[in-house]
């Protein structure tokens, strides 16, 4: 009997064909490289990578149902020259790895972990560091990206990519990740039905969260802070954005939350604090903006005239330089039952609702919208007098943008 | 002893016992402390106090200043009859007005600042507010002195002081706003910046705003504002121009004092 | 002593002083008199350096006016009604003037004579008008200048204090110093004055001894002599004789 035949026989006896086995990668072990272990792995196998630094050509997982798992944070180093890990099979799990240092390339979108044309992947608890793109889902449906730490130290938009990037990847769950210093922290394009919860995205070169053409997505309990341009969501339908924090996006083109061409959806229970513009609505219609806190922003809400039938209710506005601004007297959004710190009305019938309507668009805000340089007069006593006069004789502010039932007490 | 310091000491001794000066200091103390008391952070207090400073400091310096100069007229004549040069007498007299005014403000607002915000956020804004308030005190005290020295009719002088107050705190900005609206089609950043330098009240406001987050709103209108206001150089230019706004009316008043007949 | 030559002063189109030349003798009291608006105050202010003459020159005890005002060492000035800063103590005012004139011989006699020691710690604003005028006089006489300029010195003083002040004036004269005094109380001038200078509409109409004035107007008393001068001025202005002294004249003179 040849040795080969004996080995085959032994293998069939010891391990039944469908039983999974662990392949250990170790400097002194049977597999010196991850590539070698993966080549040997069969569907359902686990490749355990022990602590150490692994510098290999781009690692590709081509076997379905494989788990690639690090023990003691092994480092997969792209040496500034190549993509590090590509998942190209369904039902693959990647966990516990340090994936670093793809380097910058102008030719290809190098990623620390790329999932390509694969379904149901699970990317969790990895440390993804200093890559052009962090985790890149490319035509990857129903994936879960969970508890990863994605950090880059890019200095400009041109030399950094996105932290968690989804392209044609529907049904994703992006949960509890921490993304910092990438171009866009979390990016969705043509990726519908996703759920993004509990993430922290900060210090992005551009947007903390950026999504386009991604309908019916939910974004909940995330924190977006100190992103260069805030958060931008565009060209999508039926989005739910609730209980997130949008914090400290200052600058001439920075927004807490910018919505452009969003049709239908809910923006509820969020906190917008310390942004130059809290929420910016352009061409976005049929949105319910409810129970949010707008605190210490430059403009709490900019509602352009082409944003139709958006309904603000139960929101709290406090400490903003401007509460609401618009670019035209013909604005069609409505405000009803919000709390405004600038409201000076009274409540004779004690029903908790002010008896005098509140006009949140100050005359100065309207002037500034049309003549931006007039902003040099911000906080001038003359402007205070002007606004007081407008409050007494409202002749110029848009009649539509009025809260007829302003709350006497903050709702929360 | 130096004549300037002798006259200054007398002026300080006089105004130290003046109840209006004391009330002025106490007023700022109460307002500032109150703002901190109701849970204000450094930047919030600076922002709330800003409008009070912009309105009250010029008003008090102008009205109190003109009345004080008129009231000291006979005493100044008596001192002028002594063997002292006019210039030194003027400096002593002016400092005897400007130091108590700016001191009352600095003490009234500064003590709560130091107490609450010494280590907290917004230290820069509070410091800028102190600098702005002191500069406004000196500048408008000089303007008041000039008015009182060139207008013998006291009622007319006080009226003129009030007119200057109204012009600098309200009318001027109204004019700026009108200009911004009327010439909206032209690039206005540079002319508006120049206009800001033309009014000490606007300069003081811009100086404080540069230390606060809201200054980014000004950057909103164009890179020029951000470049000018957002940098240390911008702050330096604002402070220097404010100093000029103290020196110029003071020079006019000094010239008037040197040349006029008492 | 003052030697003034051709002092001229205009305010706008108004000639306030028109070529006024005047000598104030040492060891004499010179009364500067004239109706309201005649230029008395302006002349005093020019000598003090408070106002500037458009033309002419003057010297005080031989010293001419200089930019630093050092010639004012020779002058003690008592303004008509001194208003000191209300919240200064009497002591502060006296100390300030003393400090402004270091090295000059002092004369604290009036401070003692007016019993100001008891007032030293009071604020000026709380003083009565009379006490304030005592402080005013004490300040003027605090040194030993060769010229004292007194503008209505006894106004507001009680008779005893006025008597003390008059004695002081006589003493200064006796010491060979000169005094230039204006007053509307002509009996007081009669008591003190050796010389009279009469100003009207900016012209010096008379300057000389009291005796010479009485002789020229053929009156026996200074009061009547000055009234006669004013009358003749009025008639000169009206270019017609005025037989009686106008009834308003004494009242008008007293009031201001």
């Amino acid at each position: 009997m040849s040795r080969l035949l004996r080995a085959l026989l032994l293998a069939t006896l010891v391990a039944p064909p469908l039983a999974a086995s662990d392949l250990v990668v170790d400097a002194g072990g049977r597999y010196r490289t991850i590539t070698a272990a993966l080549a040997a792995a069969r569907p359902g196998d686990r490749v355990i990578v022990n602590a150490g630094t692994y510098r290999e050509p781009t690692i590709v997982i081509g076997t379905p149902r494989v788990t690639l798992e690090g023990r003691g944070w092994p480092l997969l180093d792209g040496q500034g020259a190549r993509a590090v890990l590509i998942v190209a099979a369904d039902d693959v799990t990647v966990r516990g790895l340090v994936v670093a240092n793809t380097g910058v390339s102008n030719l290809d979108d190098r990623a620390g972990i790329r999932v390509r044309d694969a379904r149901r992947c699970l990317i969790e608890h990895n440390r993804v560091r200093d890559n052009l793109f962090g985790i890149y889902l490319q035509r990857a449906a129903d994936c879960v990206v969970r508890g990863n730490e994605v950090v880059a130290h890019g200095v400009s938009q041109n030399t950094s990519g996105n932290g968690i990037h989804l392209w044609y990847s529907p049904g994703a769950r992006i949960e509890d990740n921490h993304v910092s210093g990438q171009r866009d922290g979390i990016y969705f394009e043509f990726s519908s039905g996703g759920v993004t919860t509990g993430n922290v995205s900060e210090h992005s070169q551009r947007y903390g969260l950026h999504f386009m053409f991604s309908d019916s997505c939910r974004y909940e309990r995330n924190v977006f802070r100190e992103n260069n341009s805030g958060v931008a969501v565009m060209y999508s339908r039926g989005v739910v954005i609730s209980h997130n924090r949008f914090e400290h996006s200052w600058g001439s083109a920075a927004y807490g939350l910018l919505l452009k061409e969003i049709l239908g959806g809910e923006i509820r229970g969020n906190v917008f604090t310390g942004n130059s513009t809290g929420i910016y609505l352009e061409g976005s219609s049929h949105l319910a903006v409810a129970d949010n806190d707008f605190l210490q922003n430059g403009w709490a809400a900019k509602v352009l005239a082409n944003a139709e039938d958006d309904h603000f209710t139960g929101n709290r506005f406090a400490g903003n330089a401007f509460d609401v601004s618009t670019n035209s007297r013909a604005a069609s959004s409505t405000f009803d039952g919000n709390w405004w710190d600038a409201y000076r009305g009274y409540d004779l019938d004690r029903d908790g609702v002010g008896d005098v309507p509140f006009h949140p668009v100050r005359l100065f805000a309207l002037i500034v919208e049309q003549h931006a340089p007039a902003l040099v007069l911000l906080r001038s006593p003359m402007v205070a007098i002007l606004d007081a006069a407008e409050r007494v004789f409202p002749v110029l502010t848009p009649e539509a943008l009025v809260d007829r039932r302003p709350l006497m007490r903050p709702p929360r | 002893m130096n004549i300037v310091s002798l006259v200054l000491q007398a002026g300080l001794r006089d105004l130290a016992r003046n109840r209006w000066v004391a009330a002025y200091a106490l007023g700022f103390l109460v307002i500032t402390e109150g703002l901190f008391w109701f849970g204000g952070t450094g930047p919030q207090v600076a922002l709330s106090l800003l409008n009070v400073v912009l309105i009250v400091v010029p008003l008090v310096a102008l009205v109190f200043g003109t009345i004080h100069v008129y009231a000291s007229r006979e005493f100044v004549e008596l001192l002028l009859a002594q063997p002292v040069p006019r210039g030194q007498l003027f400096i002593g007299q002016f400092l005897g007005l400007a130091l108590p005014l700016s001191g009352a403000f600095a003490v009234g607002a500064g003590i709560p600042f130091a107490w609450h915000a010494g280590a907290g956020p917004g230290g820069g804004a509070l410091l800028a507010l102190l600098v702005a308030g002191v500069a406004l005190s000196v500048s408008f005290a000089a303007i008041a002195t000039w008015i009182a020295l060139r207008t013998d009719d006291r009622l007319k002088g006080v009226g003129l002081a009030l007119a200057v107050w109204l012009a600098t705190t309200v009318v001027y900005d109204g004019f700026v706003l009108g200009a911004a609206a009327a010439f909206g089609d032209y690039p206005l950043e540079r002319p508006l910046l120049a206009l800001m330098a033309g009014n000490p009240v606007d300069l003081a406001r811009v100086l404080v705003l540069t230390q606060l987050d809201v200054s980014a709103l000004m950057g909103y209108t164009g890179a020029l504002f951000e470049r000018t206001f957002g940098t240390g150089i911008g702050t330096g230019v604002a402070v220097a121009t404010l100093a000029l706004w103290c020196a110029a009316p003071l020079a006019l008043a000094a010239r008037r004092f040197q040349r006029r007949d008492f | 002593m003052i030697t003034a030559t051709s002092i001229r002063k205009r305010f706008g189109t108004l000639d306030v002083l028109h070529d006024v030349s005047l000598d104030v003798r040492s060891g004499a009291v010179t009364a500067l008199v004239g109706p309201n608006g005649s230029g008395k105050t302006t002349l005093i202010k020019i000598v003090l350096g408070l106002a500037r003459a458009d033309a002419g020159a003057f010297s005080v005890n031989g010293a001419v006016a200089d930019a630093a005002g050092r010639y004012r060492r020779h002058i003690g000035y008592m303004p008509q009604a001194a208003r000191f800063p209300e919240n200064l103590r009497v002591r502060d005012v006296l100390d300030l003037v003393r400090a402004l004139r270091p090295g000059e011989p002092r004369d604290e006699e009036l401070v003692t004579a007016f019993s100001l020691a008891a007032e030293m710690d009071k604020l000026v604003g709380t003083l009565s008008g009379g006490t304030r005028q005592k402080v005013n006089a004490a300040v003027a006489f605090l040194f030993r200048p060769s010229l004292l300029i007194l503008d209505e010195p006894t106004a507001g003083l009680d008779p005893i204090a006025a008597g003390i002040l008059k004695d002081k004036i006589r003493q200064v004269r006796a010491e060979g110093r000169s005094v230039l005094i204006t007053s509307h109380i002509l009996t007081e001038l009669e008591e003190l004055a050796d010389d009279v200078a009469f100003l009207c509409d900016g012209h010096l109409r008379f300057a000389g001894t009291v005796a010479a004035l009485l002789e020229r107007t053929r009156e026996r008393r200074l009061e009547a002599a000055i009234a006669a001068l004013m009358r003749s001025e009025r008639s000169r202005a009206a270019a017609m004789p005025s037989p009686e002294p106008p009834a308003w004249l004494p009242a008008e003179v007293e009031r201001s």
Side-chain angles (χ1 to χ4, degrees):
Chain A
M1 215 187 312
S2 74
R3 289 177 71 181
L4 179 67
L5 199 60
R6 273 167 49 194
L8 259 172
L9 191 67
L10 194 67
T12 27
L13 282 174
V14 173
L18 289 177
S21 59
D22 285 354
L23 290 73
V24 178
V25 185
D26 202 304
R30 182 168 168 202
Y31 299 103
R32 300 287 174 87
T33 67
I34 301 166
T35 308
L38 284 171
R42 290 166 300 170
D45 281 353
R46 280 204 306 183
V47 174
I48 308 289
V49 186
N50 280 334
T53 301
Y54 298 87
R55 299 191 174 94
E56 304 177 23
T58 301
I59 299 161
V60 180
I61 303 177
T63 314
R65 288 188 287 115
V66 160
T67 295
L68 180 61
E69 184 171 326
R71 294 272 165 87
W73 299 110
L75 167 63
L76 280 59
D77 187 355
Q79 295 180 284
R82 57 183 172 269
V84 179
L85 177 63
I86 293 175
V87 176
D90 294 346
D91 302 297
V92 167
T93 296
V94 175
R95 110 168 31 99
L97 302 176
V98 180
V99 179
N101 209 8
T102 60
V104 177
S105 163
N106 294 323
L107 298 176
D108 53 344
D109 291 342
R110 284 183 197 159
I113 301 172
R114 176 185 300 269
V115 181
R116 193 173 64 202
D117 301 302
R119 285 169 294 170
R120 295 180 300 279
C121 65
L122 170 62
I123 313 293
E124 64 175 359
H125 305 300
N126 299 288
R127 296 178 180 169
V128 183
R129 293 196 176 140
D130 296 311
N131 302 297
L132 183 59
F133 283 75
I135 298 168
Y136 195 131
L137 306 189
Q138 174 182 350
R139 289 187 297 270
D142 305 317
C143 280
V144 176
V145 178
R146 183 162 63 198
N148 300 286
E149 203 184 283
V150 183
V151 182
H153 302 94
V155 287
S156 78
Q157 289 186 22
N158 297 331
T159 55
S160 78
N162 302 326
I164 297 173
H165 182 103
L166 282 77
W167 191 69
Y168 282 109
S169 297
R173 300 177 66 87
I174 312 296
E175 297 171 350
D176 305 320
N177 301 286
H178 191 141
V179 188
S180 171
Q182 298 277 354
R183 180 175 62 194
D184 291 344
I186 300 171
Y187 180 96
F188 276 67
E189 193 173 0
F190 309 114
S191 299
S192 300
V195 177
T196 304
T197 61
N199 302 283
V200 175
S201 177
E202 59 188 359
H203 306 298
S204 303
Q205 307 296 324
R206 195 169 64 182
Y207 298 114
L209 168 68
H210 188 189
F211 71 81
M212 294 183 287
F213 312 108
S214 298
D215 298 342
S216 310
C217 287
R218 286 195 291 138
Y219 304 87
E220 294 171 347
R221 292 182 289 101
N222 304 287
V223 177
F224 304 102
R225 74 164 83 93
E226 289 172 28
N227 296 298
N228 205 24
S229 306
V231 167
V233 304
M234 308 173 185
Y235 314 110
S236 302
R237 296 164 175 270
V239 295
V240 175
I241 298 173
S242 70
H243 301 95
N244 303 284
R245 296 186 66 88
F246 300 88
E247 300 175 347
H248 305 296
S249 282
W250 269 116
S252 46
Y255 304 90
L257 173 59
L258 175 149
L259 298 102
K260 185 173 183 175
E261 307 291 336
I262 298 290
L263 185 59
E266 223 179 276
I267 295 155
R268 185 179 298 277
N270 303 286
V271 176
F272 298 86
T273 178
N275 306 289
S276 45
T277 301
I279 186 171
Y280 180 90
L281 295 172
E282 178 183 342
S284 297
S285 305
H286 305 288
L287 291 171
V289 183
D291 307 328
N292 302 287
D293 286 351
F294 295 92
L295 313 171
Q296 314 287 341
N297 301 287
W299 285 268
K302 276 197 176 185
V303 185
L304 302 196
N306 59 8
E308 293 175 352
D309 295 320
D310 297 320
H311 189 60
F312 284 74
T313 185
N315 300 292
R316 184 157 71 106
F317 293 84
N320 305 295
F322 301 97
D323 283 329
V324 178
S325 172
T326 184
N327 59 343
S328 160
R329 294 191 60 204
S332 72
S333 292
T334 58
F335 289 83
D336 189 42
N338 301 282
W339 185 81
W340 314 85
D341 68 340
Y343 182 58
R344 297 283 176 269
Y346 45 82
D347 180 22
L348 290 182
D349 53 6
R350 302 209 162 271
D351 61 350
V353 172
D355 300 344
V356 188
F358 179 71
H359 296 262
V361 183
R362 292 161 57 192
L363 179 58
F364 184 52
L366 210 59
I367 293 170
V368 161
E369 202 58 47
Q370 286 164 20
H371 309 287
L375 261 176
V376 290
L377 296 176
L378 189 70
R379 302 279 169 183
S380 156
M382 189 275 305
V383 167
I385 292 171
L386 197 69
D387 285 330
E390 177 69 7
R391 209 160 285 157
V392 180
F393 310 105
V395 290
L396 294 172
T397 42
E399 192 55 26
L401 292 187
V402 55
D403 193 333
R404 300 201 179 277
R405 305 192 312 124
L407 301 179
M408 294 307 291
R409 289 172 186 287
R412 284 168 293 284
Chain B
M1 219 190 301
N2 186 324
I3 288 156
V4 172
S5 85
L6 285 172
V7 176
L8 170 60
Q9 277 173 33
L12 292 181
R13 209 167 284 159
D14 177 35
L15 288 187
R17 299 196 189 100
N18 185 299
R19 60 202 152 102
W20 294 110
V21 174
Y24 182 55
L26 196 68
F28 266 109
L29 188 75
V30 167
I31 291 171
T32 313
E33 182 60 32
L35 288 171
F36 277 112
W37 186 261
F38 288 109
T41 62
Q44 287 170 332
V45 170
L47 211 49
S48 309
L49 208 55
L50 177 60
N51 259 343
V52 180
V53 170
L54 293 183
I55 292 172
V56 171
V57 168
L59 179 65
V60 169
L62 281 168
V63 173
F64 184 86
T66 41
I67 290 174
H68 177 79
V69 172
Y70 283 134
S72 348
R73 180 83 171 264
E74 281 92 346
F75 188 57
V76 167
E77 288 180 23
L78 182 73
L79 295 181
L80 278 174
Q82 310 304 321
V84 295
R86 277 194 180 191
Q88 295 190 30
L89 188 60
F90 172 76
I91 295 169
Q93 270 287 309
F94 176 74
L95 290 180
L97 166 68
L99 287 188
L101 269 182
S102 48
F105 163 75
V107 167
I111 287 177
F113 284 2
W115 183 256
H116 294 276
L126 296 176
L127 186 67
L129 193 62
L130 273 186
V131 169
V134 168
L136 285 180
S137 302
V138 175
S139 177
F140 281 96
I143 293 172
T145 305
W146 186 49
I147 289 174
L149 285 176
R150 54 172 302 126
T151 316
D152 280 335
D153 184 337
R154 297 175 182 213
L155 210 59
K156 206 190 263 176
V158 174
L160 207 56
L162 283 173
V164 167
W165 174 71
L166 209 62
T168 48
T169 50
V170 180
V171 177
Y172 189 89
D173 285 359
F175 168 73
V176 172
L177 189 66
F183 302 104
D185 298 335
Y186 300 89
L188 275 181
E189 276 84 356
R190 273 167 212 281
L192 284 189
L193 270 185
L195 281 176
M196 290 299 100
N199 179 358
V201 178
D202 279 324
L203 265 177
R205 181 172 55 80
V206 167
L207 175 67
V208 175
L209 287 184
T210 55
Q211 303 302 316
L212 291 165
D213 284 345
V214 288
S215 65
L217 297 191
M218 291 183 170
Y220 210 88
T221 65
L224 186 66
F225 284 122
E226 207 154 27
R227 271 210 309 278
T228 312
F229 292 141
T231 61
I233 295 168
T235 308
V237 168
V239 171
T241 318
L242 262 180
L244 199 66
W245 265 107
C246 296
L250 187 60
L252 285 174
R255 211 174 71 137
R256 185 76 196 153
F257 190 87
Q258 283 285 0
R259 294 186 176 183
R260 68 160 287 150
D261 290 336
F262 281 88
Chain C
M1 58 175 282
I2 308 174
T3 311
T5 35
S6 299
I7 301 288
R8 186 181 294 175
K9 180 71 179 175
R10 297 172 72 97
F11 287 126
T13 56
L14 189 68
D15 261 324
V16 180
L17 292 176
H18 189 86
D19 279 330
V20 172
S21 299
L22 176 69
D23 286 330
V24 173
R25 286 193 290 145
S26 297
V29 174
T30 303
L32 183 60
V33 292
N36 295 322
S38 59
K40 291 176 300 194
T41 307
T42 304
L43 185 60
I44 289 176
K45 285 188 167 178
I46 286 174
V47 172
L48 287 168
L50 291 175
R52 263 160 228 187
D54 297 324
F58 68 92
S59 66
V60 177
N61 209 26
V64 294
D66 56 326
R70 271 190 298 273
Y71 78 98
R72 289 194 284 263
R73 283 200 319 273
H74 302 290
I75 305 175
Y77 172 53
M78 181 177 175
Q80 188 165 357
R83 283 186 54 199
F84 307 106
E86 303 233 318
N87 293 310
L88 287 189
R89 296 176 201 281
V90 172
R91 182 191 308 285
D92 299 331
V93 173
L94 290 170
D95 283 349
L96 173 61
V97 179
R98 285 187 193 115
L100 287 177
R101 303 177 76 150
E104 288 189 43
R106 296 273 179 73
D107 180 356
E108 307 270 345
E109 219 171 76
L110 275 188
V111 178
T112 317
F114 285 143
S115 310
L116 288 180
E119 317 286 339
M120 279 299 168
D121 288 321
K122 289 186 182 164
L123 296 183
V124 173
T126 65
L127 298 181
S128 70
T131 312
R132 212 176 308 169
Q133 192 68 347
K134 286 179 192 170
V135 176
N136 189 14
V139 167
F141 284 86
L142 204 49
F143 306 92
R144 298 185 170 278
S146 52
L147 170 66
L148 281 152
I149 296 176
L150 311 175
D151 197 354
E152 304 285 343
T154 57
L157 286 181
D158 60 69
I160 296 172
I164 292 171
L165 184 60
K166 283 182 219 164
D167 286 345
K168 187 70 189 170
I169 293 171
R170 289 190 192 98
Q171 183 198 324
V172 165
R173 171 174 57 189
E175 288 169 4
R177 300 192 265 153
S178 35
V179 177
L180 182 65
I181 183 170
T182 74
S183 178
H184 285 115
I185 307 167
L186 295 176
T187 51
E188 185 176 289
L189 292 183
E190 189 151 33
E191 277 180 66
L192 294 169
D194 304 301
D195 294 350
V196 173
F198 181 77
L199 266 177
C200 195
D201 291 335
H203 294 271
L204 188 66
R205 293 300 183 198
F206 178 86
T209 61
V210 174
L213 177 65
L214 294 179
E215 189 183 327
R216 175 167 148 186
T217 53
R218 298 197 191 96
E219 297 282 354
R220 284 215 297 258
R221 304 199 50 202
L222 184 62
E223 188 173 2
I226 289 169
L229 277 180
M230 288 188 182
R231 209 160 45 233
S232 72
E233 275 305 312
R234 279 186 58 78
S235 56
R236 183 212 294 257
M240 53 190 271
S242 171
E244 293 290 317
W248 50 264
L249 190 57
E252 169 78 3
V253 165
E254 265 340 319
R255 196 185 308 143
S256 56

